[in-house]
Amino acid sequence: MIVETGHFALILALALACFNAVVPLWGVATRDSRLMGTAPSIALAGFGFVALSYAALTYAHITSDFSLLNVYENSASAKPLIYKITGVWGNHEGSMLLWVLILAVFAAAVALSARAMPQDLHAAVLAVQSWISAAFLLFILLTSDPFARIANPPIEGQDLNPLLQDPGLAIHPPLLYLGYVGLSITFAFAAGALICGRIDAVWARLVRPWTLIAWVFLTLGIAMGSYWAYYTLGWGGFWFWDPVENASLMPWLAATALLHSAAVMEKRDALKVWTIFLAILAFSLSLIGTFIVRSGVLTSVHSFANDPQRGEFILAILVFFIGGALLLFALRANTLKPGGFFAPISREGALVLNNLVLTTCCATVFVGTLYPLALESFTGEKISVGAPFFNATVVPLFLPLVLLMPIGQNLSWKRGDFFGAAQRLYFALLCGLAMLLVLASWHHNGPLTSILVSGLGVYVIVGAFAEIANRLFGRVALVKGGLAQVWQHAVGVPLSTYGTALAHAGIGVSLLGLAATGWGAEKILTMKPGDSANVGPYQLTLTRIGTAMGPNYTAKIGHVVIREGAREIGALDPAVRFYPTRQMSRAEAGIKTLNFGQIYVGVSDGVKPGTVDARIYWKPLVAFIWIGGLIMGFGGLVSLSDRRLRIGVAHRVRKLAAAPQAAE
């Protein structure tokens, strides 16, 4: 009965989404406040029904109800509870239900923020979000029903893909979806603004928090996905330029550009056309990523290769929303008046340059990802576009952007002084050069790229805080004001400034981790108990090979002792797990973090009995790659906590609304 309740809840959610997609827009067209006022309550009710449906599917997975096809194909009685819960979104149908749930969550959040925006814009945003929800609810009900029954239920299920039986599945997909789907709100704001004709600085301030929320989740989701692939797939890599990895990178690049463009629009009432276009583009790239993953056009460890019918349905959704939004954009573009002007050398000019580089990077990744798929579809010819292409095209674009990033932070609004901003970065430059010289003397035979990128990373980290340091110490001497006055200045700096500095510093930290991989070491060999191997500054010894039983697998485990000189500093237990239900094996890497570097050991069955094939890495400072991602996400959260973003919008809207009344 609970399962049927979940199914009918989806049908009711579809009916409410269709109502909310039409009635509030009719209210906007007729200026009927009662019709517009229905949008928030209907959005909240729709969220309730989708949440009920998702809870019903989760219950079926937890109780191992194999009368459901979805549970039978993706679960088993012996599977641990955490993987029964995470397995709900470890398949196509369940993940699409999670997609719709997050759509409903963001719609409910916007519904509860009614005081922060004009009623017509509020109703239009919720209506557009309802159009998106209705399309995906219809997709689920017609092609991807998670509540489909089996006439004769089996006793046992087929278990979950072993690659997905990992704690990373509990973190990575929800974070990534919150970012992916969260960009639907920026799309809804753009379409709503075009419908209502409210494209101004107030709109830019309204859309920034929602863009920032999606950007934070997308940043954390990509970082977590990178680490999950690193330790789960057994190959020791953190980024492969896989088409599905690129599908998450493209909307992140567009959302990053949108954040910077919206700042210019809010400050100068400029770049209106460009900002609206980026808001549409960011979610459009999310839809394209969904099509890539679920259409069956490629096979990847990340993707759900499904029947063409699903791909055609998603393609129709993609064409409808992207085409409709661009058509609306074209009809309204001529009505957008140019806003304030600014000098090329200014913070606004730096943000425009930032946008140009980010969108060029995005276009490069887009072409490199989709061109092989398009070529194969039209000609049948298969080509591979991998890491060499992207490293040769994207990296040369990205590194100059990173170099100029601290300078842009230190330029003044409207009109800046380039040389003055560069002078304020002399300490950052000295720190970067010092790092470069130290590494050049220490690793004089090492890779030149790693040395240069390390110096650039230090420069970015220090330069990220140069603006704050200038605010604290530039106008007052410590001997006069003392620490008390510096503290007063520190308290007066907006949280968004601290958040920006942290986000930029996170990029520098990740650069250090990426650069240090050039000094790593790798060995691939066959080992038996008693064998040792030297990797980097450490010696690894395989002491024994054993077996273990898990709840739904058997494991072959190698116990490896790590020594530095004569001192034992740790041990690892890499394993190969075999899942009999799926008849699949999965490598369980052993990882030891030492001074932010990691020893990575992956094993597989050896050709000779009593041996294992081992893949051993020493990766210095590799943890900085993901620590940098966490710092970037934390910087976004700090910016989001800025009081101006939380209440400044409502205050400004009320102030603008009160002005005509006072004039009357």
Side-chain angles (χ1 to χ4, degrees):
M1 184 62 186
I2 293 178
V3 171
E4 279 70 26
T5 301
H7 183 77
F8 286 121
L10 274 184
I11 297 174
L12 291 172
L14 174 61
L16 290 175
C18 292
F19 177 90
N20 225 25
V22 176
V23 174
L25 285 182
W26 183 255
V28 172
T30 59
R31 313 305 299 173
D32 189 329
S33 60
R34 291 175 300 174
L35 294 181
M36 289 188 286
T38 62
S41 57
I42 298 298
L44 292 172
F47 162 72
F49 282 117
V50 174
L52 176 61
S53 178
Y54 189 84
L57 184 61
T58 303
Y59 174 81
H61 273 263
I62 292 175
T63 58
S64 296
D65 183 356
F66 298 122
S67 67
L68 250 67
L69 180 63
N70 181 267
V71 179
Y72 165 70
E73 291 180 342
N74 300 284
S75 191
S77 300
K79 191 172 67 171
L81 177 61
I82 183 174
Y83 301 138
K84 289 183 178 180
I85 296 173
T86 60
V88 176
W89 58 74
N91 58 87
H92 169 73
E93 292 82 5
S95 64
M96 288 310 303
L97 188 56
L98 176 64
W99 176 286
V100 173
L101 177 62
I102 295 175
L103 275 174
V105 166
F106 276 95
V110 173
L112 294 173
S113 62
R115 293 185 301 170
M117 64 183 77
Q119 188 184 32
D120 59 342
L121 179 60
H122 190 235
V125 169
L126 290 175
V128 174
Q129 188 76 355
S130 295
W131 275 100
I132 301 171
S133 297
F136 280 98
L137 283 166
L138 194 63
F139 171 73
I140 290 174
L141 290 170
L142 293 181
T143 70
S144 310
D145 185 6
F147 299 104
R149 288 285 196 178
I150 300 176
N152 298 308
I155 299 175
E156 189 53 78
Q158 296 181 342
D159 208 354
L160 184 66
N161 186 334
L163 290 174
L164 302 179
Q165 295 191 40
D166 184 89
L169 182 64
I171 304 171
H172 164 58
L175 286 176
L176 197 63
Y177 277 27
L178 284 165
Y180 242 43
V181 184
L183 291 173
S184 66
I185 286 295
T186 65
F187 177 89
F189 265 92
L194 290 170
I195 292 169
C196 299
R198 290 184 176 272
I199 304 172
D200 50 23
V202 174
W203 176 87
R205 181 172 285 197
L206 285 168
V207 80
R208 277 183 65 198
W210 300 104
T211 307
L212 192 55
I213 291 171
W215 181 87
V216 168
F217 283 123
L218 195 53
T219 301
L220 296 176
I222 291 173
M224 185 60 217
S226 170
Y227 190 65
W228 184 18
Y230 168 72
Y231 74 81
T232 301
L233 299 183
W235 58 291
F238 49 85
W239 193 264
F240 191 63
W241 293 104
D242 181 274
V244 183
E245 291 174 331
N246 295 345
S248 63
L249 178 62
M250 288 186 290
W252 183 86
L253 291 169
T256 305
L258 174 59
L259 279 174
H260 293 88
S261 178
V264 176
M265 184 173 172
E266 179 188 350
K267 195 75 176 180
R268 286 283 164 261
D269 198 25
L271 301 183
K272 294 179 182 179
V273 173
W274 180 245
T275 305
I276 292 290
F277 174 74
L278 284 176
I280 295 171
L281 176 67
F283 182 61
S284 299
L285 291 170
S286 293
L287 290 178
I288 291 172
T290 304
F291 173 74
I292 290 175
V293 173
R294 301 175 190 280
S295 63
V297 297
L298 61 87
T299 300
S300 164
V301 295
H302 306 80
S303 65
F304 301 98
N306 291 293
D307 59 87
Q309 182 186 3
R310 290 172 175 172
E312 291 169 1
F313 202 116
I314 294 177
L315 184 61
I317 292 175
L318 189 152
V319 171
F320 176 78
F321 284 104
I322 297 179
L326 292 178
L327 176 61
L328 183 60
F329 176 74
L331 294 174
R332 291 283 193 178
N334 291 334
T335 65
L336 299 179
K337 298 179 181 178
F341 296 96
F342 50 86
I345 304 299
S346 63
R347 184 169 298 193
E348 294 94 333
L351 294 176
V352 170
L353 178 61
N354 160 286
N355 268 227
L356 291 174
V357 176
L358 286 174
T359 50
T360 303
C361 289
C362 185
T364 304
V365 176
F366 180 85
V367 172
T369 302
L370 294 187
Y371 176 72
L373 303 178
L375 184 66
E376 183 179 355
S377 298
F378 289 111
T379 67
E381 181 182 353
K382 292 186 178 182
I383 63 170
S384 176
V385 177
F389 168 80
F390 292 106
N391 291 337
T393 55
V394 177
V395 174
L397 286 170
F398 189 74
L399 291 181
L401 174 65
V402 173
L403 180 65
L404 294 173
M405 190 166 61
I407 297 177
Q409 275 183 267
N410 285 272
L411 287 172
S412 300
W413 291 99
K414 196 171 184 179
R415 185 178 298 277
D417 180 3
F418 179 85
F419 294 104
Q423 287 175 356
R424 288 191 286 272
L425 292 170
Y426 72 92
F427 183 69
L429 286 168
L430 288 177
C431 291
L433 288 172
M435 171 62 77
L436 194 151
L437 293 174
V438 168
L439 291 176
S441 60
W442 187 17
H443 296 283
H444 55 277
N445 292 326
L448 178 61
T449 302
S450 294
I451 295 174
L452 294 175
V453 174
S454 295
L456 180 61
V458 171
Y459 158 76
V460 169
I461 294 170
V462 179
F465 296 98
E467 181 191 8
I468 296 175
N470 183 62
R471 291 194 184 195
L472 300 186
F473 305 108
R475 297 180 182 178
V476 59
L478 281 174
V479 293
K480 291 184 179 180
L483 292 176
Q485 193 163 0
V486 172
W487 172 252
Q488 289 180 354
H489 282 198
V491 172
V493 174
L495 287 174
S496 59
T497 302
Y498 286 113
T500 299
L502 284 169
H504 288 182
I507 294 175
V509 173
S510 293
L511 284 175
L512 288 178
L514 291 169
T517 57
W519 293 295
E522 173 187 358
K523 283 194 175 180
I524 301 175
L525 68 166
T526 299
M527 301 182 74
K528 62 181 183 297
D531 288 351
S532 298
N534 295 317
V535 57
Y538 305 104
Q539 182 187 63
L540 279 68
T541 302
L542 178 66
T543 59
R544 65 179 183 272
I545 300 174
T547 59
M549 289 290 296
N552 60 338
Y553 63 85
T554 60
K556 184 176 183 179
I557 304 173
H559 185 72
V560 179
V561 174
I562 305 171
R563 290 185 175 86
E564 186 176 18
R567 183 169 61 94
E568 182 177 325
I569 60 174
L572 296 173
D573 293 299
V576 181
R577 293 180 177 179
F578 178 74
Y579 294 78
T581 303
R582 282 269 180 166
Q583 291 293 300
M584 290 177 62
S585 296
R586 172 193 146 191
E588 186 77 10
I591 298 175
K592 179 72 173 179
T593 302
L594 300 167
N595 300 320
F596 298 106
Q598 289 184 342
I599 294 175
Y600 179 108
V601 181
V603 297
S604 59
D605 291 321
V607 177
K608 297 181 180 179
T611 65
V612 293
D613 293 331
R615 182 185 293 268
I616 304 173
Y617 295 97
W618 160 239
K619 297 174 176 287
L621 300 184
V622 70
F624 277 1
I625 295 173
W626 303 292
I627 292 173
L630 294 176
I631 293 173
M632 291 168 65
F634 180 69
L637 292 175
V638 171
S639 294
L640 193 62
S641 66
D642 194 312
R643 191 168 180 267
R644 296 178 304 167
L645 290 180
R646 287 186 285 112
I647 69 170
V649 172
H651 173 75
R652 187 166 181 179
V653 169
R654 287 194 297 269
K655 183 177 178 181
L656 290 174
Q661 296 177 2
E664 292 176 2

